Amino acid sequence: MFTAAELAEHQADAESLMTLCLTLFRPTGTFTQDPDGYEVPDYEDMGQVRGKIQSGSAQGRDTATRYLRIGDVERPVLEAGLHVPISAAIPKPGRQRGHGWEYEVTSVGCADDPALLGRRYLVVEVPAKSFATARRLDVVEVTD
């Protein structure tokens, strides 16, 4: 078991590795038309939080990767793929665009892959666990 002081130290260590700046978007429940005439969901900017992306390895697993259909595309679920501080707001998961919270990578740290910049992730599950040092969200990558 951890003491409160030890848990705080582990949380600080975990958060020091979160070098991405993520902008959090919450769906408003309304839709607008884009320039091509398609209906697209509206989102409210909920501010920024630090985080990191970690795509899981399928090696050693007995089960196949889960997929989720976004529009007409099957996208793999990144289990525990997005890490945000445990103190961050608990996002509402969704199974389609416009119904769940999304995070967009808006800046990267010096050790991060610059290819992450501008990528957007839909939260599909918010697992919980005891003695968490970070919130590890199940996400799928979505594109605009």
Side-chain angles (χ1 to χ4, degrees), residues 48-132:
Q48 296 181 331
V49 66
R50 289 178 45 171
K52 77 175 196 169
I53 303 290
Q54 180 173 323
S55 85
S57 168
Q59 294 177 340
R61 291 191 185 164
D62 293 332
T63 58
T65 302
R66 294 184 305 152
Y67 287 85
L68 180 68
R69 181 176 288 280
I70 303 289
D72 292 329
V73 179
E74 291 284 329
R75 298 188 186 274
V77 174
L78 302 176
E79 294 181 22
L82 179 61
H83 299 194
V84 295
I86 196 74
S87 59
I90 298 174
K92 180 178 186 252
R95 295 285 174 162
Q96 62 186 38
R97 302 279 329 249
H99 293 277
W101 291 24
E102 296 185 12
Y103 289 87
E104 182 178 357
V105 179
T106 51
S107 70
V108 295
C110 61
D112 295 317
D113 182 353
L116 290 170
L117 197 57
R119 292 192 180 188
R120 194 157 168 150
Y121 298 89
L122 169 66
V123 177
V124 296
E125 287 184 35
V126 183
K129 72 176 219 173
S130 298
F131 297 106

Side-chain angles (χ1 to χ4, degrees), residues 8-55:
E9 183 180 332
H10 291 298
Q11 286 174 326
D13 289 344
E15 290 178 13
S16 72
L17 300 173
M18 297 180 187
T19 55
L20 297 175
C21 183
L22 304 165
T23 300
L24 174 59
F25 295 95
R26 178 174 67 184
T28 63
T30 62
F31 293 81
T32 58
Q33 258 187 7
D34 71 5
D36 296 322
Y38 294 103
E39 270 199 359
V40 294
D42 284 329
Y43 291 91
E44 176 184 6
D45 184 331
M46 298 293 295
Q48 296 181 331
V49 66
R50 289 178 45 171
K52 77 175 196 169
I53 303 290
Q54 180 173 323
S55 85

